[in-house]
Amino acid sequence: MSNLIKNELLKQLLGGKKIYIFMAAIVFFNLLGVFELNFVDIEYTINAQNYSLYMLATVVLYVLPFYVILVMTDMITTEYVQGTLKDTLLHPVKRSSILASKLIALFILIVGFITFSLVTNYIFGVGFWGWGEQFVYEDPNYATGIVYSSTEGILRTIGGYYISVLPLTVFGLIVMYLGFLFKSSGVTVGASFGLFIILNAIGGMFEAVRPYLFVSYFRELASVVFFEATTYSIYVSFIVLGIYGVVGFAFSLKIFNNKDIFY
Amino acid sequence: MSKSSTILQVHDICRYFDEKEVIHNVSFQVEEGDIFGFLGPNGAGKTTIIRMILGLIKSDSGTIKINNYDIKSQFLNAINKVGAVVETPTFHENLSGYQNLLLIKNLHPELPKSRIDEVLEIVGLTSRAKDKVHKYSLGMKQRLGLARALINYPKIVFLDEPTNGIDPQGVVQLRELIVQLAIEEKITFFITSHILHEIEQICNKVAVIKGGHLVAHGYVKDLLSKEVETVDIVTEYKKDALKLMKPLDFIEDMVEIETGVRVSLKTGHSGELNKLLNNHLQVDYLIPVHQSLENVFFELTGGGKNE
């Protein structure tokens, strides 16, 4: 299994420019945050300590979902159509191991991006506002924000960043399933993007269903676990994401196991 | 496990697509050390059968065993000592030849990294190993495909149209390489090719498939020594010739060709045919056709077309 994961990472790291383009996108969006904050009046202090947390939603909502869509489409539909999936299947490897390795590789790549974003945001924070004296969390229930100690604020920020990997990986599983349904990478990307937009729109319109949509947790899981337990309880969050994950993997495996490889 | 020398056993396999039977009760076997030619017109089902053998396409019935392991129930053991190039070899184009082989080596943790250099050396790609595959010619990709098929010390290698895109000199080199590997490394080869002359030169056994049916299977020498001879009747009056020969019981088969009619007849009757034709028809020439695999193939497949 570890060699399969190594292969997937090798393909992504050396096989294209996608990873570098998304790193550039993260830098761009994080700088955009700096620009935005210079023109917006806020009631509390922004500094290096809380800038990373402020920017988390941007990265997990506007950058990484698209990376997940493109990478998983590459791993499934593109590999199937180009015939390179077949090359792996001609060796003593279980199809379930191939799927699991792709998922774990995606998880590792997201962790890498999350780490990159976290570090760049701290660097930008220090560069533009300095380290600061306290960590102020922008809680919507308190206009002036909540103050945490620096250590506690940093630990909660780090936790918030890394917990966000979970819903993004679950999204990867959904894209994986879609990837097996279509014979065109463009269609898989389109369908995944469409699903992402529609579910976000549904979540926006109907607050009651929001806790049951995995897309809600891209942004909310960090808050639920590390900052505020609102309507999304921790248990519900993990159960919902767990169900999406298990069902997504089971459906993907079933379709893959029965799939004839024609390319 | 029994000590059999049969390395590939295909028994009664069938496959339907959209309720249409495309592979019909195909059975054959390949012994260790064979260089086995698998022939058939385009669309006959060759690639489908190769994919079924390799577990890429599932059979609806029948059994396939590689090295005595069932491809369905014992896939990991069955596929372990198999190498294959199915259709045009595909690669991760933005990775180098070496990196592409590394991806496959990683699927066999027992192999040392030096095996990559060995197979690159065998196919003559050492000097281009670090180049990205998108810079390779089709011939180089075929050779890289062969290197990939050899990396796990296979007992049997499947090559689907291996000479596609290779220049004539490369074809000769590949043919020599296959024979050399078969002799020195004791590798069994299963080869499809539309160049029948090549198959005849290197294969000891062949199977011919047409419209999903196996129409012949056996040693090349046995197929070529059939008790039938072939004669080309060069004449403008094709229809008259066909009409004249139709009642003759020593005629096995007749096919119109561009210059006249090609006739397969029981050995020893060519003089009789000659006399008959000369008495009733204007014939320019009677040309005996050397019995080659190509002729056998055309006889078996009705001109290389699927029904």
Side-chain angles (χ1 to χ4, degrees), chain A residues 30-31 34-35 38 46-48 51 121-131:
Chain A
N30 289 344
L31 277 174
V34 173
F35 183 75
N38 278 320
I46 274 283
N47 56 31
Y51 180 64
N121 277 326
Y122 273 118
I123 291 170
F124 291 153
V126 170
F128 286 94
W129 295 284
W131 181 247

Side-chain angles (χ1 to χ4, degrees), chain A residues 5-25:
Chain A
I5 298 167
K6 210 190 292 177
N7 277 1
E8 293 302 328
L9 292 174
L10 190 70
K11 285 184 243 174
Q12 291 303 322
L13 296 174
L14 302 178
K17 297 185 176 74
K18 212 176 284 114
I19 206 156
Y20 307 105
I21 291 169
F22 274 87
M23 283 170 83

Side-chain angles (χ1 to χ4, degrees), chain B residues 105-162:
Chain B
K105 189 233 94 88
N106 284 343
L107 305 177
H108 298 268
E110 74 283 2
L111 294 176
K113 243 183 176 177
S114 59
R115 180 62 182 161
I116 299 173
D117 300 317
E118 282 174 26
V119 290
L120 283 166
E121 178 78 35
I122 289 171
V123 300
L125 278 179
T126 305
S127 62
R128 301 292 303 273
K130 295 224 171 353
D131 291 354
K132 290 192 173 177
V133 171
H134 67 74
K135 291 180 181 167
Y136 284 19
S137 66
L138 183 55
M140 288 168 71
K141 285 181 183 174
Q142 288 281 14
R143 283 192 278 155
L144 187 63
L146 181 60
R148 187 168 61 187
L150 294 173
I151 201 162
N152 57 329
Y153 299 102
K155 286 187 172 177
I156 182 167
V157 172
F158 293 81
L159 300 176
D160 194 5
E161 302 287 356

Side-chain angles (χ1 to χ4, degrees), chain A residues 34-41:
Chain A
V34 173
F35 183 75
E36 180 199 0
L37 287 169
N38 278 320
F39 289 92
V40 174
D41 282 335

Side-chain angles (χ1 to χ4, degrees), chain A residues 7 15 82 87 91 260-261, chain B residues 15 51 56 90 103 106 108:
Chain A
N7 277 1
Q82 286 183 349
D87 299 325
H91 294 271
D260 286 323
I261 309 296
Chain B
R15 176 66 207 229
R51 285 175 184 265
L56 296 172
T90 50
L103 294 178
N106 284 343
H108 298 268

